[in-house]
Amino acid sequence: VAALPSALAATFVALHADLAAASAPSGTTATAVALVGWHAVVANVGDTVAILDTGAEVVQVSGNHRLEGNPAETARVRAAGSEVGPAAVEGVAAGPVRVWPGGLAMARTLGDLEAGDAVTAVPEVRLVTLPPGGGRLIIASDGLWDAASAKAAAHRVRGLPASKAAGDLVAWAHRARGNRDDITVIVVDAL
């Protein structure tokens, strides 16, 4: 468990380098969870977020690197020399806060080279101790989280097997928001 945070960080940075070497046209967000006994090591970049439903509470166990509502990431990006602000359409601010150059709405990603070094591939890593009764992890892209709160999503699929819960959440988010964004969901019961 002690070695996982640095191993995950090195893996994210290596993936970023691989994407850069392949001249990938754009990047991605990512969340990785390693379960070891009663510990979960969670590493992420971007707005693919992991939550833990213990049955008693629903807790976000990963970071979210969207600039909107994230003063720490906004300050980090500005300190690295990038500008932060919305896009302008005919001189009028439009859309979410973004990093310039690049126009990304988040401060950490894999493979987004146009934003420069201020947008980093170094993940935020958290160590979470699971409760004695275990819990359910829901790891999902913003396509789910833009459609539902963590609590609503977790409560919706309580009682469903993990194999059915992910599909149910995808369908639910799709009905709520249509084809506006990708909707990727993984559900794991850690018992």
Side-chain angles (χ1 to χ4, degrees):
V1 171
L4 280 171
S6 60
L8 286 167
T11 301
F12 275 55
V13 171
L15 285 169
H16 179 74
D18 288 349
L19 289 168
S23 299
S26 64
T28 189
T29 69
T31 298
V33 179
L35 293 170
V36 181
W38 291 105
H39 298 287
V41 182
V42 184
N44 83 299
V45 295
D47 58 359
T48 299
V49 171
I51 66 165
L52 174 65
D53 180 9
T54 67
E57 65 180 333
V58 177
V59 181
Q60 184 173 316
V61 294
S62 70
N64 185 339
H65 304 113
R66 276 191 184 174
L67 291 167
E68 203 90 79
N70 194 329
E73 287 295 303
T74 299
R76 186 188 61 72
V77 167
R78 284 187 173 134
S82 288
E83 293 183 31
V84 175
V89 178
E90 297 180 6
V92 177
V97 174
R98 298 180 179 277
V99 176
W100 302 100
L104 294 175
M106 56 209 75
R108 297 178 192 235
T109 68
L110 298 175
D112 282 303
L113 304 176
E114 290 182 14
D117 293 337
V119 174
T120 183
V122 176
E124 181 175 340
V125 180
R126 296 181 181 179
L127 177 62
V128 178
T129 301
L130 300 172
R136 172 170 277 184
L137 287 162
I138 301 174
I139 306 159
S141 66
D142 63 322
L144 174 63
W145 306 127
D146 287 347
S149 70
K151 189 173 183 178
H155 286 199
R156 177 173 179 82
V157 294
R158 278 187 180 163
L160 286 180
S163 60
K164 294 188 186 293
D168 182 85
L169 290 171
V170 169
W172 185 46
H174 186 262
R175 282 191 303 275
R177 294 186 43 91
N179 290 329
R180 295 171 128 179
D181 203 351
D182 74 284
I183 307 165
T184 303
V185 180
I186 298 170
V187 178
V188 176
D189 289 329
L191 304 172

